[in-house]
Amino acid sequence: MAELIIHSEKIKENIQYLSRYFKTHHIEWSLVTKIFSGDKTFIANILSEDVMECVNSVCDSKLSSLKYLKKVFPKLKTIYINPPAPVRVDEVIDCANISCNTSITTIKALNAAAEKKDVVHKIIIMIELGELREGIHLEDLASFYEAVSDLSHIEVVGVGSNLGCMFGVEPTEENLAQLALSKRFISETFHKELKFISGGTSITLPLLENGLVPKDINHFRVGEAAFLGICPLEGEQFKDLHKDTFELHANIIELIEKNISPGGNLTTTSKSQNSGRKNVERSQKSYKAILDFGLLDVDKNDLQAEDDFLFVGATSDMVVIDVGNNQTASGGVKYCVGDTIKFSLNYIAVARLLSSKFIHKIYV
């Protein structure tokens, strides 16, 4: 079974570093925990009490994750970052102190659910700034706010935006200024001071470092930088954060010299490729190694191998690589059955591997 190596202390240090960093910039931040899907072992190993003391709140897109986090940390402030489905409003009220919203219908349903439980539920109104994910149009903010601000068990505590997650729209000083203006608009029009202007994520960190984030932006939602140490805009390390927090170790379970090209008639459903080699004859051979993970676990495009070889193809539970003549520069044997191939991982790879029941997780 392939292994996901999790460097617990490095992740903890990243979270603590970010806490100090945001404090120096007078910004509140929430740890986005959706990468580990509420995994109880991950929470026990990473989210220790000393780490959670550094976090103002946590965000997640899975209600089951927030529910378990609330069970472990009853006083923890939680934010549900997906627009809720109306059918799930009772669960949202139970496990989230705050939710991010774009639908008046849903907010009214949240109000009814909160009234039944005799609580006031806080909401952040999400604004569309070009990413075409969740968010109302800025020109609709006045009518939207007016429709929900007087609900008896709802409190509008902020506005927010989401950039860079789907189409990769880059946050800029200009588009964040639009979000900051919405705070002033609400203040001047409705005489309401919003607590949160939630406009920052991992992708916004370089702007903050360069002093280009408008001062009204006072809340960041950060996951990738905390867990992988990078800013996703360029995939580069952010300041002194650790990048080497996760590794995939795959085992070679077969290593045999085989034809470079497959034999027989190929179906149109094939997901494999011809080793990246052009103009090869069917009789030409190279060594093929089979690794013990597959498409059910992770997409090979989200992996970066430690060594140089060619991906041949993948099935649900195996990946085949082409290691050429399987020789080192000095002429020795490079790989054997039982050897480990190491991969570094991007955010999506880590999220998928953590949720896979076919990958062994090892905390170091």
Side-chain angles (χ1 to χ4, degrees), residues 1 64 95 99 171 183 190 218 234 291 293 318 321 357:
M1 181 182 287
S64 57
C95 62
S99 60
K183 174 190 178 182
F190 298 99
N218 63 358
E234 301 291 345
L291 308 180
F293 69 94
M318 293 182 186
I321 61 174
K357 60 184 178 181

Side-chain angles (χ1 to χ4, degrees), residues 11-302:
I11 297 171
K12 290 180 180 182
E13 289 172 7
N14 280 356
I15 295 171
Q16 291 164 336
Y17 181 94
L18 285 169
S19 179
R20 294 190 298 271
Y21 180 78
F22 284 121
K23 190 173 183 178
T24 62
H25 287 82
H26 309 290
I27 285 176
E28 225 178 284
W29 77 293
S30 299
L31 179 66
V32 180
T33 57
K34 61 184 178 181
I35 191 172
F36 58 85
S37 301
D39 184 90
K40 296 178 181 180
T41 306
F42 191 95
I43 291 171
N45 280 275
I46 307 296
L47 301 186
S48 53
E49 287 190 13
D50 59 321
V51 170
M52 295 308 292
E53 287 175 357
C54 301
V55 178
N56 300 123
S57 57
V58 299
C59 297
D60 210 297
S61 58
K62 300 291 185 287
L63 290 170
S64 57
S65 298
L66 291 180
K67 183 177 181 179
Y68 185 72
L69 284 166
K70 274 287 194 184
K71 181 179 178 180
V72 177
F73 306 103
K75 296 182 180 180
L76 180 65
K77 185 163 66 177
T78 54
I79 304 175
Y80 184 56
I81 52 176
N82 273 10
V87 71
R88 299 295 181 199
V89 292
D90 288 314
E91 295 173 69
V92 174
I93 299 300
D94 284 338
C95 62
N97 301 101
I98 302 172
S99 60
C100 298
N101 285 270
T102 60
S103 165
I104 293 172
T105 299
T106 301
I107 296 170
K108 288 181 177 179
L110 285 167
N111 181 67
E115 185 174 10
K116 285 190 298 183
K117 298 177 185 295
D118 195 26
V119 298
V120 174
H121 183 67
K122 299 177 174 64
I123 66 168
I124 293 173
I125 299 171
M126 299 300 286
I127 308 294
E128 165 62 43
L129 293 180
E131 184 68 14
L132 301 182
R133 258 188 45 158
E134 72 274 24
I136 67 169
H137 294 295
L138 200 55
E139 59 266 28
D140 296 329
L141 179 59
S143 59
F144 191 98
Y145 181 86
E146 194 168 24
V148 301
S149 60
D150 288 333
L151 294 173
S152 60
H153 289 72
I154 292 292
E155 180 185 359
V156 181
V157 294
V159 292
S161 65
N162 203 324
L163 292 167
C165 287
M166 189 167 71
F167 287 106
V169 174
E170 183 178 348
T172 63
E173 189 175 10
E174 290 73 26
N175 55 27
L176 290 178
Q178 294 181 52
L179 185 65
L181 283 172
S182 66
K183 174 190 178 182
R184 300 173 203 170
F185 173 79
I186 295 294
S187 176
E188 293 171 3
T189 306
F190 298 99
H191 309 292
K192 165 74 174 181
E193 292 299 326
L194 299 177
K195 181 179 179 181
F196 294 117
I197 310 299
S198 185
T201 62
S202 295
I203 202 172
T204 322
L205 287 170
L207 282 182
L208 183 61
E209 178 66 10
N210 293 321
L212 299 176
V213 172
K215 62 181 180 62
D216 283 332
I217 307 293
N218 63 358
H219 182 253
F220 272 54
R221 310 177 308 274
V222 174
E224 192 161 352
F227 293 109
L228 275 76
I230 64 172
C231 166
L233 185 63
E234 301 291 345
E236 298 295 329
Q237 178 181 1
F238 181 70
K239 294 184 74 65
D240 295 328
L241 297 177
H242 299 290
K243 283 182 65 178
D244 53 342
T245 49
F246 296 90
E247 304 166 23
L248 176 64
H249 290 188
N251 302 293
I252 296 178
I253 57 176
E254 177 185 295
L255 180 59
I256 298 175
E257 189 178 31
K258 299 183 179 183
N259 288 342
I260 289 178
S261 296
N265 297 322
L266 302 183
T267 67
T268 58
T269 59
S270 172
K271 301 296 183 183
S272 300
Q273 60 195 44
N274 187 29
S275 302
R277 303 177 189 272
K278 296 180 179 179
N279 302 318
V280 296
E281 295 183 7
R282 185 159 292 183
S283 60
Q284 288 183 268
K285 297 180 181 294
S286 65
Y287 279 87
K288 305 293 194 300
I290 298 181
L291 308 180
D292 58 344
F293 69 94
L295 295 173
L296 290 178
D297 307 305
V298 70
D299 189 324
K300 68 178 180 60
N301 294 320
D302 294 321

